Amino acid sequence: MEQRLMLRVVIDEDNIRKLILNERPDSIEGLKTKLSDKLSLQYDFKLQYEDPDFSNALCDLTEITDLPERATLKVIPLMTLELTTLSSSTEQTDSSSADTEILSAAGSTPLPKRQWPEFFDIPNFSVDVAYRLRQADLLFMRDRVPLTPSRDMKHDILEKLAETMYSFKAYPDDDDFSSVAKALISKHPSLTEPGPQPGWYGWKNSLKFKMANYRTKLRKAGCDDVMINGGKRSKHNPEGPSSSKNIKRPRRGEANYLPNLPDRHDESSLENARKVVIEETKKKRPNASLVSRIMEETFSLRRREIVTQEPAVQSMMERWPALFTERQVFAEFNRIASKNLEGNFYEALDQHTPRFIDLFKSKKGTSPDVTALRTVVLKGLPILLSEDSSQVYTTCFVAAKEEALASVTVGVLTVIEDAQQQGPNAVHPQPISIAIILEGESILQPTSQDSRGSVVLENRDEAIFFGRSRGLLSGTGLRWPQGPPDLLPGVWANQPTPLDQALQPNLHTYS
């Protein structure tokens, strides 16, 4: 007997369809064929369904009989992509040949680095080293006799510490070395070195030499984040550039600066995937899940371009149009910094807001509008710190918009009506539009629809734009011009800022 199916098909979070089939297909492949035809799915996929036996948790659909009459299906794209080869510049033809490229899902993405921890956790050493340290620590606690480690034991300790430090940073700074050396002595007091210097000072110097040797080993192995600084002046390359100049290293908060390409992939395969993203973004309803997955896969290729070539923003917009959508701005920042840009930014801003409001109370009363409070805080920072904000905040009238665009390199441009007050520190709760400007190009501005057809920036919230600008700067490798307050990078990263000391002791009592 034929059985009617009523399906709720989740293609991605912005594309959910209702589909009615007058008869149940005989197999999973038959169901996939019907879905491909009716929903115009031009890629391979697998299906998951909400299983009522497990409180509607998602399970892979392996038997067609498991599917209820009323069911929710989720489409999971597989990484087999059909790519249309662009016509050659030497061939003047309107048709292009179809080619197929496989972006293998078996190629794993390199493990991302993590943010440097507040308290460094000393890793576990090999069994013999751990045993000797435990016996030495007991002897030190009883007789205060420090351990003099043998050469091989010290080598094993330093090697393990360098490996762990590299998982956070390829180029630790002086404070990082100090924190590791202190943590080592704290966990294994028998390693305390005698003398007038602190007992961890010798370990700190040893760690610096070991980390340099460890980077050399990784450079020979082909790790991109250290290879980029290879080829400097040495005894084998006396004509090379100075080893201390133009060192490319992560900025503050950047955990994944220059990752290696995924296993089983090269620049050619990732370049083909990049072209697929371009074609997908041209569609009226692009597959957001597919775009996100390929953008994740091609992250290393994108970072290699930005770090080594330092391309202009216009070039980046042409090669990576998906990078300048709202979703990918936040996703790219998360890939680079391993942090939630929107959440951390608002959390830090809201933490500081009550204290700032106390400082800004030139008028009585407070506003219940959270957007207005955030905007007041951002506008008030340059005044409080006696900073020139004209290079960050630019305000213009409607008639002067094009002239203002040409004069702004990096910043936030607010367009207001002619009757409103103009100035870098003026607050405009109801501007005509706000846009993020990178190299004179308007990147994000209030529009009714984005490429996915959904409303994105209609609220004209200046704080939202300031937060998004941080994501764009990380994604494109640009820097703010001279002038913005020093505390803003700390606010973005939710880390201590210069204002923390100035506003103590009352600042953190309002959180």
Side-chain angles (χ1 to χ4, degrees), residues 80-180:
T80 302
L81 310 175
E82 291 194 359
L83 172 65
T84 300
T85 303
L86 301 180
S87 56
S88 172
S89 59
T90 60
E91 297 176 356
Q92 302 299 325
T93 175
D94 294 334
S95 63
S96 59
S97 61
D99 194 10
T100 302
E101 287 290 339
I102 305 299
L103 184 59
S104 172
S108 59
T109 302
L111 291 177
K113 285 185 168 56
R114 300 163 288 168
Q115 289 287 344
W116 190 271
E118 183 178 359
F119 301 102
F120 191 88
D121 188 17
I122 299 298
N124 295 323
F125 301 114
S126 60
V127 175
D128 60 321
V129 172
Y131 176 79
R132 283 184 280 175
L133 284 175
R134 183 165 60 252
Q135 298 301 315
D137 289 341
L138 293 174
L139 182 63
F140 182 84
M141 294 173 64
R142 188 186 67 186
D143 300 331
R144 310 301 296 178
V145 177
L147 171 68
T148 302
S150 61
R151 182 174 181 178
D152 64 327
M153 182 179 182
K154 187 171 184 178
H155 172 271
D156 291 345
I157 293 174
L158 293 174
E159 187 78 11
K160 187 64 176 181
L161 290 176
E163 178 184 344
T164 306
M165 293 171 69
Y166 178 76
S167 68
F168 298 105
K169 285 184 180 181
Y171 294 90
D173 55 33
D174 189 76
D175 290 339
D176 297 331
F177 285 111
S178 296
S179 67
V180 176

Side-chain angles (χ1 to χ4, degrees), residues 429-482:
Q430 297 294 329
I432 294 177
S433 67
I434 305 174
I436 296 173
I437 310 301
L438 297 183
E439 294 185 354
E441 295 287 338
S442 179
I443 305 301
L444 290 179
Q445 55 184 328
T447 56
S448 58
Q449 292 185 335
D450 66 356
S451 59
R452 299 170 297 168
S454 58
V455 177
V456 287
L457 303 175
E458 196 61 40
N459 54 18
R460 302 175 182 178
D461 181 346
E462 194 155 350
I464 288 178
F465 270 84
F466 209 86
R468 287 171 183 153
S469 66
R470 178 62 173 97
L472 284 171
L473 289 177
S474 291
T476 58
L478 294 179
R479 299 178 183 271
W480 278 107
Q482 295 296 324

